[in-house]
Amino acid sequence: MTAPHTTSGIAPDLLPGFEHDAFQSNAVFRTVLDAMSRPGNIYNLPISIAAPDGLNETATAFALAMIDMDTPVWLSPACISGAAITHLKFHCGCPIVDDAAKADFAFARLDDDLSFLSRLAVGNAEYPDQSATVVFMVDAISDHPDMILTGPGIKETHMLSVAGLPAAFHTWRRENTTLFPCGVDVIFASPHQIAALPRTTRIEVK
Amino acid sequence: MENTQTSQNTETGAAYNFAYLDEQTKRMIRRALLKAVAIPGYQVPFAGREMPMPYGWGTGGVQVTAAVIGPDDTLKVIDQGADDTTNAVSIRQFFAKTAGVATTEKTAEASIIQTRHRIPEKPLRDDQILVYQVPIPEPLRFLEPRETETRKMHALEEYGLMHVKLYEDISRHGHIATTYAYPVMVDGRYVMDPSPTPKFDNPKMNMMPALQLFGAGREKRIYALPPFTRVESLDFEDHPFSVQSWDDECGMCSATDSYLDEVILDDKGNRMFVCSDTDYCTERQDAGHRGPQHHDQPLGGKAAE
């Protein structure tokens, strides 16, 4: 019998993916589902995973749990790297696209040129679900009252603060809110925490 | 070569992936669920799979549960409020077998509750998920059979037809005669079918702390209500929405605040009412509550007049 394939036999630099596909992808999905259902609530990444250059642990775990050959991915200039592309292509089998408008999932950092946001798919009036999700890798998320959130999933109000969130983001996000039911959903991924801003959430910036 | 999936099946001792569905299918359903949560009340199309049970038996709810459930979850399944009916028992056994998860009949102990046509009487918590089995997800379907048209109606918020239907009820019966699958408005935007739950349950959906997920297997649609979302039953100012009420109490536990099923006892017109939520009724009986037809009562339970 031939020895089982190891990832090192295919590409020596390739990092491992989920140790336990079914359980770990479920744990990550449940965290994302909680985050999306309760906008602004901060959840800890329930697993640990190796992240390639350009991505952080939370973004990598999100990608492995949610992305596959059916979902084109766009990587911003600040997070695109040979290692990230190899990692996503091997573990997710997803197409990597150059045009943000063609992506179901976009990965970026806050110091990127945020003009790509307005190119992302927002769906259409009949199929608003055919819209992109953008994952922002950030340094830190906290419940400091920089943003006061209201909307579905929030009982009264909720506080959220994201380190280094530029004014350009808020400008884009205000436009995004007016598109409802179309729009882009946002996920903030710090190295070990996650919080989400679905399109329904209204933000008051302090 | 060793199948990498094998190790995660040893716990369930079966030739299935965890929770029956393959990982790619689960990812597809999970992506649909996230979009459904982001657009409350909007029906997301998904690539529904054939399940090892017939359409109408909860194939949509089962696929949603399979995509959501993890090894640490505790599952409760109810059919018309009851834990002990065929549909509920078989779905509970399905997940006990394919996912090896703990199951329960107690509402308070469950982390995921899959339901056919009822919301438990006990208020749900924010750490619980309610999964509805939905036969026909489109609230406008009986008014407009074409999917292309109902899509447009939702896109344009053109819900006048639904109000006409409710108005016709009033002109014919003097009141809104719709008693189940009573249409609701979600967060002021989408009209949604709450699945064939009695309208008695509609107020529970409003601002519920638990996440509510809806799966329609034959129609291949998923929709959702995030926690704390406004859900209003459609009505008119002069004909406000109201829920059913009963003159009787539950024959077993004497509850007057729960949804009661009528049980015909004989061909002489004798009948009794009993809670449709079996766990709620059992808990009340365990706490010492007794209705007139309970077997502890004098005469071993007399028939109601």
Side-chain angles (χ1 to χ4, degrees):
Chain A
M1 290 295 280
T2 53
H5 285 301
T6 58
T7 51
S8 59
I10 294 164
D13 304 331
L14 193 64
L15 296 165
F18 286 141
E19 210 168 290
H20 212 304
D21 204 10
F23 295 159
Q24 292 192 315
S25 60
N26 178 264
V28 173
F29 164 70
R30 284 289 283 274
T31 308
V32 177
L33 182 66
D34 276 340
M36 199 61 104
S37 306
R38 296 172 179 82
N41 260 26
I42 299 164
Y43 293 89
N44 291 325
L45 184 66
I47 59 159
S48 64
I49 192 161
D53 271 353
L55 299 178
N56 68 18
E57 273 194 46
T58 305
T60 307
F62 175 88
L64 264 56
M66 302 308 303
I67 290 170
D68 55 32
M69 64 286 221
D70 293 332
T71 51
V73 168
W74 182 82
L75 298 170
S76 78
C79 58
I80 198 160
S81 72
I85 291 174
T86 311
H87 197 72
L88 292 179
K89 280 193 169 168
F90 180 81
H91 289 295
C92 305
C94 59
I96 308 280
V97 293
D98 294 331
D99 183 0
K102 293 199 174 84
D104 285 329
F105 293 95
F107 290 82
R109 291 178 190 276
L110 292 172
D111 51 8
D112 270 304
D113 172 8
L114 297 188
S115 61
F116 80 90
L117 285 170
S118 49
R119 295 209 310 281
L120 293 174
V122 296
N124 59 63
E126 291 179 22
Y127 292 94
D129 58 303
Q130 292 174 4
S131 53
T133 303
V134 59
V135 178
F136 273 114
M137 282 171 274
V138 298
D139 294 335
I141 322 170
S142 76
D143 57 1
H144 188 78
D146 289 343
M147 290 185 274
I148 299 177
L149 313 179
T150 52
I154 301 167
K155 194 175 181 185
E156 281 156 6
T157 57
H158 199 83
M159 315 300 171
L160 179 67
S161 172
V162 177
L165 202 59
F169 174 83
H170 290 299
T171 309
W172 165 78
R173 188 57 177 63
R174 267 195 298 277
E175 279 168 28
N176 190 65
T177 308
T178 63
L179 302 176
F180 190 82
C182 298
V184 172
D185 306 306
V186 179
I187 287 171
F188 292 114
S190 77
H192 301 287
Q193 290 189 312
I194 192 163
L197 287 178
R199 64 194 76 179
T200 47
T201 308
R202 291 172 287 280
I203 306 174
E204 188 190 329
V205 184
K206 282 284 158 185
Chain B
M1 205 178 86
E2 193 73 11
N3 182 344
T4 54
Q5 298 289 342
T6 309
S7 60
Q8 52 205 43
N9 291 329
T10 48
E11 292 87 349
T12 55
Y16 306 108
N17 188 29
F18 177 77
Y20 186 77
L21 292 176
D22 60 281
E23 290 304 306
Q24 205 266 327
T25 298
K26 286 192 216 169
R27 270 193 301 273
M28 173 271 297
I29 295 172
R30 287 166 181 168
R31 289 192 295 258
L33 284 169
L34 291 185
K35 288 299 173 193
V37 167
I39 318 166
Y42 164 77
Q43 302 162 48
V44 182
F46 79 110
R49 301 292 196 244
E50 296 272 336
M51 297 301 285
M53 59 190 70
Y55 288 132
W57 283 66
T59 55
V62 164
Q63 289 179 79
V64 169
T65 300
V68 169
I69 203 163
D72 301 327
D73 277 308
T74 303
L75 179 70
K76 170 183 164 84
V77 185
I78 51 173
D79 173 6
Q80 305 274 10
D83 292 276
D84 53 4
T85 54
T86 311
N87 198 201
V89 170
S90 61
I91 292 172
R92 207 160 51 233
Q93 285 177 348
F94 176 76
F95 283 109
K97 187 174 177 183
T98 61
V101 293
T103 59
T104 182
E105 297 191 0
K106 299 240 170 288
T107 303
E109 287 173 9
S111 58
I112 298 175
I113 301 171
Q114 182 171 329
T115 177
R116 177 176 175 273
H117 311 352
R118 271 317 305 283
I119 298 174
E121 305 291 356
K122 188 189 279 285
L124 299 181
R125 302 184 310 261
D126 64 358
D127 60 343
Q128 295 178 308
I129 297 176
L130 187 58
V131 178
Y132 294 76
Q133 303 171 197
V134 181
I136 296 167
E138 178 49 72
L140 305 166
R141 182 61 67 234
F142 290 110
L143 307 171
E144 170 52 67
R146 289 167 294 182
E147 171 72 8
T148 48
E149 292 304 303
T150 53
R151 281 265 149 201
K152 274 203 192 77
M153 291 160 80
H154 283 294
L156 300 169
E157 282 183 81
E158 179 49 72
Y159 295 131
L161 203 54
M162 185 57 92
H163 277 102
V164 170
K165 190 231 173 212
L166 297 177
Y167 172 73
E168 282 178 349
D169 265 10
I170 295 170
S171 62
R172 198 170 298 158
H173 306 287
H175 62 278
I176 298 175
T178 306
T179 54
Y180 66 95
Y182 191 105
V184 294
M185 173 67 83
V186 178
D187 197 39
R189 176 55 181 85
Y190 279 102
V191 165
M192 185 191 94
D193 182 349
S195 85
T197 51
K199 66 176 180 177
F200 180 86
D201 286 339
N202 278 20
K204 296 177 190 168
M205 295 182 145
N206 184 40
M207 298 301 274
M208 184 191 277
L211 172 64
Q212 302 173 74
L213 305 174
F214 299 77
R218 180 178 39 217
E219 306 290 324
K220 299 179 173 48
R221 295 290 183 274
I222 282 171
Y223 51 106
L225 293 172
F228 303 113
T229 299
R230 281 187 299 134
V231 179
E232 296 144 340
S233 303
L234 299 182
D235 62 359
F236 299 98
E237 276 175 22
D238 52 345
H239 284 274
F241 174 77
S242 65
V243 299
Q244 295 99 327
S245 62
W246 290 263
D247 297 331
D248 277 279
E249 56 185 349
C250 170
M252 302 300 284
C253 77
S254 82
T256 54
D257 58 351
S258 77
Y259 187 83
L260 300 180
D261 286 334
E262 183 178 353
V263 182
I264 306 293
L265 296 175
D266 55 27
D267 58 0
K268 307 268 187 321
N270 283 313
R271 58 193 188 153
M272 69 181 283
F273 288 88
V274 64
C275 291
S276 100
D277 185 334
T278 50
D279 175 51
Y280 184 74
C281 198
T282 310
E283 232 174 61
R284 280 180 55 84
Q285 290 175 49
D286 289 348
H289 296 281
R290 288 292 179 269
Q293 278 103 359
H294 194 281
H295 56 78
D296 277 3
Q297 294 306 97
L299 305 175
K302 65 177 174 60
E305 298 310 318

